[in-house]
């Protein structure tokens, strides 16, 4: 880990590292620049990501590629209906001397890919709650700290509802971003097919180490923010809360529930990081607007009127912005 003489020098280093990371990731992932930017933003903000998209859009490959370009431990958990909490966090077992010994589960890694998280029952989904919020797990009354930095990057398939268990709002709220992946463009898909149907193997360089990530996370927290940007972010969240003093007409008409205080916190931290990734030293209102959609998307609940009239969450957020 290189030592920096000032936060400005560290901010410039983060900007360069981000450019190197995106260049490295683009060797494998074609297009999806916005998705890559949001996932890396969450990494530098100490947040977790939920990637939602139909099968075959390289959600898993994207996360594996990002993990490969970061010199950190990586584990993948394929969520299934018969997965148990101990399959994620680990369990106590008897050793040869008949003493109980804790065997760690796959959650003990820097990056955990929770693949198809909505395919497992709530009991197992809840096993991730403590690790995502407290960065630790408790087994048999004893607390075990997880390695830092720690990220949960989860994928979800929105089209198959049979045999799935929708994530409860409490767990959804713990994800900083809800990122929707769309189909690639015609040109991007041409490139994808050429890259993946040949014999060429792509090797990725390690751009950042765990210590670098931890240092950059602290840097993001130290970024100064002017009061009017903070006020804009908090006011934006208050606009989503129906039947409150600052509620917007759209919220009163179409929303059942609005976003909580965690949304305001994520908007400011996300805006700070977005500013740094664009070579700025302090965020403005535009940075808040850039991260607003993936932060608010899973935190507001439409009412029956909105569903009946086909008003989407995305439309409501754009109106608020």
């Amino acid at each position: 880990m290189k030592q920096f003489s000032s936060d400005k020098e560290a901010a410039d280093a983060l900007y360069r590292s981000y450019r190197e990371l995106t260049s490295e990731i683009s060797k494998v992932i074609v297009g999806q620049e916005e998705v890559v930017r949001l996932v890396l933003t969450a990494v530098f903000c100490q947040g977790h990501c939920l990637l939602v998209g139909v099968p075959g859009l390289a959600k898993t490959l994207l996360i594996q590629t990002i993990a490969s370009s970061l010199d950190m431990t990586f584990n993948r958990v394929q969520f299934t209906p018969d997965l148990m909490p101990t399959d994620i966090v680990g369990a106590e077992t008897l050793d040869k001397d008949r003493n109980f010994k804790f065997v760690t589960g796959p959650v003990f890694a820097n990056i955990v890919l929770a693949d198809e998280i909505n395919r497992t029952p709530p009991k197992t989904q809840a096993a991730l709650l403590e690790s995502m919020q407290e960065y630790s797990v408790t087994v048999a009354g004893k607390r075990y700290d997880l390695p830092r930095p720690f990220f949960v990057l989860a994928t979800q398939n929105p089209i198959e509802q049979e045999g799935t268990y929708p994530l409860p709002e409490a767990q959804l709220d713990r994800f900083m971003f809800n990122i929707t992946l769309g189909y690639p463009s015609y040109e991007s898909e041409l490139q994808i097919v050429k890259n993946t149907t040949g014999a060429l193997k792509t090797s990725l360089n390690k751009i950042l180490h765990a210590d670098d990530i931890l240092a950059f996370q602290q840097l993001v927290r130290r970024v100064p923010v002017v009061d009017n940007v903070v006020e804009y972010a908090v006011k934006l969240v208050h606009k989503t809360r129906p039947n409150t003093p600052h509620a917007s007409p759209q919220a009163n008409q179409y929303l059942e529930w609005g976003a909580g205080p965690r949304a305001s916190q994520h908007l400011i931290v996300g805006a700070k990081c977005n500013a740094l990734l664009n070579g700025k030293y302090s965020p403005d209102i535009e940075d808040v607007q850039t991260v607003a959609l993936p932060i608010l998307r899973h935190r507001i609940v439409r009412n029956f009127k909105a569903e009946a009239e086909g008003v989407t969450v995305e439309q409501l957020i754009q109106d608020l912005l």
Side-chain angles (χ1 to χ4, degrees):
M1 172 66 204
K2 185 186 173 186
Q3 298 298 318
F4 300 107
S5 59
S6 67
D7 282 351
K8 179 182 180 298
E9 190 182 330
D12 293 337
L14 173 56
Y15 176 72
R16 288 193 302 272
S17 298
Y18 170 68
R19 291 287 174 268
E20 288 176 39
L21 271 172
T22 50
S23 173
E24 204 67 23
I25 292 164
S26 66
K27 292 180 183 176
V28 176
I29 302 297
V30 178
Q32 306 288 17
E33 291 87 358
E34 175 74 3
V35 177
V36 171
R37 182 183 63 79
L38 287 171
V39 173
L40 291 176
T41 299
V43 166
F44 293 125
C45 289
Q46 210 171 327
H48 309 290
C49 277
L50 181 66
L51 279 79
V52 181
V54 297
L57 295 183
K59 299 184 296 293
T60 303
L61 178 63
L62 169 70
I63 294 169
Q64 288 175 330
T65 304
I66 289 173
S68 298
S69 59
L70 301 171
D71 188 17
M72 297 192 290
T73 55
F74 170 74
N75 281 332
R76 173 183 174 178
V77 184
Q78 184 67 48
F79 280 68
T80 56
D82 59 349
L83 198 73
M84 297 297 289
T86 50
D87 296 328
I88 297 173
V89 301
E92 285 199 325
T93 58
L94 279 171
D95 62 17
K96 60 183 180 182
D97 299 319
R98 300 190 67 78
N99 295 317
F100 278 106
K101 179 187 176 186
F102 178 62
V103 179
T104 59
V107 79
F108 284 82
N110 296 122
I111 300 176
V112 177
L113 166 54
D115 217 353
E116 294 194 278
I117 193 171
N118 58 331
R119 285 209 170 276
T120 202
K123 181 179 180 181
T124 307
Q125 290 173 352
L128 274 179
L129 276 175
E130 184 186 6
S131 61
M132 290 169 67
Q133 187 65 25
E134 307 296 336
Y135 299 97
S136 65
V137 297
T138 305
V139 178
K142 191 172 178 187
R143 176 183 160 127
Y144 299 90
D145 289 324
L146 296 170
R148 304 294 291 271
F150 175 74
F151 312 104
V152 172
L153 302 174
T155 68
Q156 190 168 291
N157 177 359
I159 57 171
E160 287 179 304
Q161 300 306 320
E162 194 175 332
T164 62
Y165 304 84
L167 282 169
E169 275 68 21
Q171 187 155 3
L172 275 175
D173 197 43
R174 281 167 169 79
F175 286 100
M176 180 177 183
F177 290 138
N178 180 338
I179 305 169
T180 302
L181 279 82
Y183 291 111
S185 65
Y186 175 76
E187 292 77 13
S188 294
E189 195 159 343
L190 275 177
Q191 192 62 46
I192 289 167
V193 172
K194 288 176 184 175
N195 290 357
T196 55
T197 54
L200 188 66
K201 294 269 186 192
T202 305
S203 61
L204 296 174
N205 299 314
K206 305 286 187 188
I207 305 298
L208 291 174
H209 309 287
D211 288 344
D212 301 318
I213 298 289
L214 289 170
F216 287 141
Q217 285 176 348
Q218 293 304 313
L219 172 69
V220 168
R221 297 278 165 170
R222 293 196 299 271
V223 169
V225 189
V226 293
D227 285 346
N228 74 306
V229 175
V230 179
E231 287 164 9
Y232 177 82
V234 175
K235 200 171 284 182
L236 178 62
V237 173
H238 273 259
K239 280 183 185 176
T240 68
R241 299 171 184 169
N243 306 315
T244 60
H246 296 283
S248 70
Q250 294 98 322
N252 288 330
Q253 190 177 1
Y254 292 119
L255 291 182
E256 192 80 35
W257 295 101
R262 199 178 266 136
S264 303
Q265 295 168 335
H266 285 322
L267 281 172
I268 291 301
V269 177
K272 287 181 176 186
C273 186
N274 192 70
L276 291 176
L277 298 186
N278 285 293
K280 298 186 291 187
Y281 301 117
S282 182
D284 51 30
I285 287 173
E286 193 179 329
D287 291 304
V288 176
Q289 293 172 334
T290 302
V291 296
L293 179 60
I295 286 174
L296 295 175
R297 179 185 279 134
H298 55 302
R299 290 185 164 90
I300 62 177
V301 180
R302 292 178 301 159
N303 59 20
F304 177 76
K305 180 178 168 67
E307 292 181 24
E309 294 182 14
V311 179
T312 65
V313 167
E314 286 79 7
Q315 285 172 335
L316 287 170
I317 295 171
Q318 290 300 337
D319 289 344
L320 293 175
L321 292 174

